[in-house]
Amino acid sequence: MVGSDFFRTFAVAMILKKLSILNYKNIREATLELSPKMNCFIGQNGVGKTNVLDAVYYLSFCRSATNPIDSAVIRHDEPFCVIEGEYADEMRNDKGEMRNEDSLIISCGMKRGMKKHFKRNKKEYKRLSEHIGLIPLVVVAPSDTLLIEGSSEERRHLMDIVISQFDRGYIDALTRYNNAHQQRNTLLKMEDAEPDPMLMDLWEEQMAEAGEQIYVKRSAFIEELTPVFQTYYQQISEGREQVGLQYVSHCQRGPLLDVIRRDRAKDRAVGYSLHGVHRDDLVFTLGDHPMRREGSQGQNKTYVIALKLAQFEFLKRTASQTTPLLLLDDIFDKLDSHRVEQIVRLVSSDNFGQIFITDTNRDHLDQILSTSALDYKIFHVENGEILS
């Protein structure tokens, strides 16, 4: 990792200069010239504000943030959709002067019933995983409360989506683990005969090998993330509450291969694997109690916002030392004025790069813009139409 002196001298930010959308969700056609700092999308609920942010997300992760089915993002009654972004690296030297690097064109086109085509400067990727991490991004959205209220799968996804942006080996380990896990489950579900023990051994060994690699990377990530997250929570809540974050894994019980094989008979009875990193979890606490049980709506939202801002800080340090894009989707609802003020102060600082914000309340955005000298653009969204 590059030392802290680097960050005092240079700050590299990936900037989305221009976004073109055709038939993406409810947006028929839009071409947006964007601010390098703050882009605000105002409109009522359901008009398409979130869909603009989702198009930006798609260009970073090769998928929608809200729907894993590619065909579902194509506008109703249309045969195809296209999204394209023109990016530039901006580097600020120690005198505060900006230097623009070469532009980068990322595009995705898809037709119903056909494979999507994802391209970088008009050259199609052979594997989409090669693109992940090129344009680091963090999104804060209302659905993030599922991190607290939902299943452990939501919390594992949080770890996966961040680590995958700076560690290509992590994606490979996840792929190998998921394949071995699926193959083992297929054997466990066999009804006509007992599974081949040699095959079972093989898949368990592959699960354990890849799983322990995943565990090491997740452990390191959470250890570094936790103090940054706690600092952000303290800033937003003005020190009113203490919060915690703990990683829990079957790998903590001993060698993963032993843990998996220990209950093979029980796994055979239920038909799936009861142990492994696919059952990892994060424990969220408020004081000494589970966040799920104790947190108010405002505290829960503060928790996930602080968690996402900590992810932003982590990626800024690790993802090729590139400041991520920050997407803030309707984040001010259910927060008191003090917490809104603290969030506004945080995101308006020089620590953040390009920001995309949606809101139904113009007052929130006016508050952000009045407290800083940031360059900004305001877009009004109505029924899929975007006007600047």
Side-chain angles (χ1 to χ4, degrees):
M1 187 179 297
V2 178
S4 58
D5 288 343
F6 179 92
F7 298 105
R8 287 196 293 269
T9 306
F10 296 108
V12 182
M14 184 68 80
I15 301 299
L16 179 55
K17 298 168 59 178
K18 183 177 179 181
L19 176 65
S20 300
I21 304 173
L22 182 63
N23 296 331
Y24 190 83
K25 296 192 173 182
N26 77 325
I27 303 170
R28 183 182 298 279
E29 187 174 3
T31 299
L32 309 178
E33 301 285 345
L34 298 164
S35 162
K37 185 59 182 178
M38 186 84 70
N39 296 279
C40 310
F41 297 85
I42 301 172
Q44 298 303 308
N45 291 325
V47 298
K49 305 186 305 296
T50 298
N51 293 343
V52 179
L53 268 57
D54 196 55
V56 177
Y57 182 97
Y58 205 112
L59 290 173
S60 282
F61 292 102
C62 310
R63 62 180 293 274
S64 165
T66 59
N67 197 319
I69 302 172
D70 282 327
S71 61
V73 305
I74 302 176
R75 181 180 167 88
H76 293 314
D77 301 323
E78 297 292 344
F80 68 94
C81 77
V82 179
I83 48 177
E84 181 177 280
E86 181 182 345
Y87 299 82
D89 280 342
E90 288 192 345
M91 180 175 287
R92 186 184 299 275
N93 63 23
D94 54 358
K95 297 180 181 179
E97 300 166 336
M98 296 302 299
R99 187 179 78 210
N100 292 324
E101 302 296 313
D102 293 338
S103 63
L104 172 71
I105 305 295
I106 302 297
S107 63
C108 180
M110 66 187 91
K111 295 182 179 179
R112 293 190 187 279
M114 299 181 67
K115 177 185 174 183
K116 64 186 171 190
H117 297 278
F118 212 93
K119 299 179 181 181
R120 174 180 177 179
N121 290 336
K122 299 184 179 180
K123 183 178 180 181
E124 186 161 1
Y125 282 101
K126 293 181 179 179
R127 295 194 308 165
L128 295 180
S129 62
E130 296 172 1
H131 178 70
I132 306 302
L134 178 67
I135 306 167
L137 179 150
V138 172
V139 58
V140 187
S143 60
D144 289 335
T145 55
L146 286 174
L147 289 169
I148 296 172
E149 302 161 358
S151 69
S152 60
E153 182 179 1
E154 301 286 344
R155 294 178 285 278
R156 287 191 298 276
H157 180 67
L158 177 146
M159 293 187 282
D160 294 344
I161 204 71
V162 180
I163 302 172
S164 294
Q165 290 186 74
F166 68 87
D167 190 335
R168 194 69 44 85
Y170 185 79
I171 301 176
D172 294 338
L174 270 180
T175 301
R176 286 185 283 110
Y177 181 88
N178 290 335
N179 178 61
H181 175 216
Q182 183 180 24
Q183 295 295 337
R184 183 177 190 265
N185 280 357
T186 299
L187 293 177
L188 292 171
K189 290 183 174 71
M190 289 178 60
E191 297 180 358
D192 299 335
E194 282 301 307
D196 183 329
M198 292 184 65
L199 271 180
M200 186 69 79
D201 285 345
L202 173 66
W203 296 125
E204 287 173 347
E205 289 167 4
Q206 290 193 18
M207 276 182 69
E209 181 185 7
E212 289 185 340
Q213 292 176 23
I214 292 166
Y215 169 70
V216 168
K217 294 174 187 293
R218 286 177 176 173
S219 293
F221 165 61
I222 295 301
E223 183 178 357
E224 188 169 346
L225 184 80
T226 299
V228 182
F229 151 69
Q230 290 172 324
T231 298
Y232 271 121
Y233 190 97
Q234 290 297 304
Q235 288 179 289
I236 297 172
S237 69
E238 296 180 296
R240 298 175 195 174
E241 305 109 16
Q242 299 293 323
V243 290
L245 177 63
Q246 181 184 358
Y247 175 39
V248 179
S249 174
H250 289 148
C251 287
Q252 294 157 347
R253 300 180 182 181
L256 186 55
L257 184 58
D258 293 346
V259 175
I260 292 171
R261 284 180 172 168
R262 194 176 300 152
D263 284 325
R264 185 189 285 182
K266 187 182 293 185
D267 291 357
R268 179 79 170 110
V270 298
Y272 55 88
S273 303
L274 291 167
H275 297 91
V277 296
H278 62 283
R279 304 295 292 271
D280 284 1
D281 203 353
L282 293 173
V283 177
F284 298 160
T285 55
L286 177 66
D288 296 325
H289 305 285
M291 194 78 197
R292 184 199 300 260
R293 192 174 68 232
E294 295 293 322
S296 67
Q297 285 184 321
Q299 288 169 329
N300 286 353
K301 194 150 193 178
T302 302
Y303 194 102
V304 297
I305 290 172
L307 199 56
K308 290 301 188 76
L309 294 182
Q311 290 178 37
F312 179 95
E313 186 70 27
F314 186 90
L315 283 174
K316 185 178 179 181
R317 298 175 185 178
T318 56
S320 301
Q321 290 77 52
T322 300
T323 302
L325 304 180
L326 180 63
L327 278 52
L328 304 175
D329 188 12
D330 192 24
I331 67 166
F332 299 116
D333 185 40
K334 299 183 176 65
L335 291 177
D336 61 50
S337 59
H338 294 289
R339 295 181 192 236
V340 169
E341 182 179 348
Q342 294 306 314
I343 294 169
V344 167
R345 186 173 299 168
L346 283 170
V347 302
S348 300
S349 72
D350 291 337
N351 190 49
F352 293 88
Q354 191 177 28
I355 302 171
F356 296 78
I357 297 181
T358 71
D359 208 320
T360 58
N361 188 338
R362 176 65 187 262
D363 293 341
H364 289 148
L365 299 181
D366 286 340
Q367 183 181 359
I368 292 174
L369 302 174
S370 66
T371 56
S372 69
L374 297 177
D375 181 87
Y376 69 89
K377 284 192 175 182
I378 294 178
F379 301 88
H380 296 271
V381 186
E382 185 172 348
N383 297 324
E385 298 290 328
I386 305 167
L387 303 173
S388 57

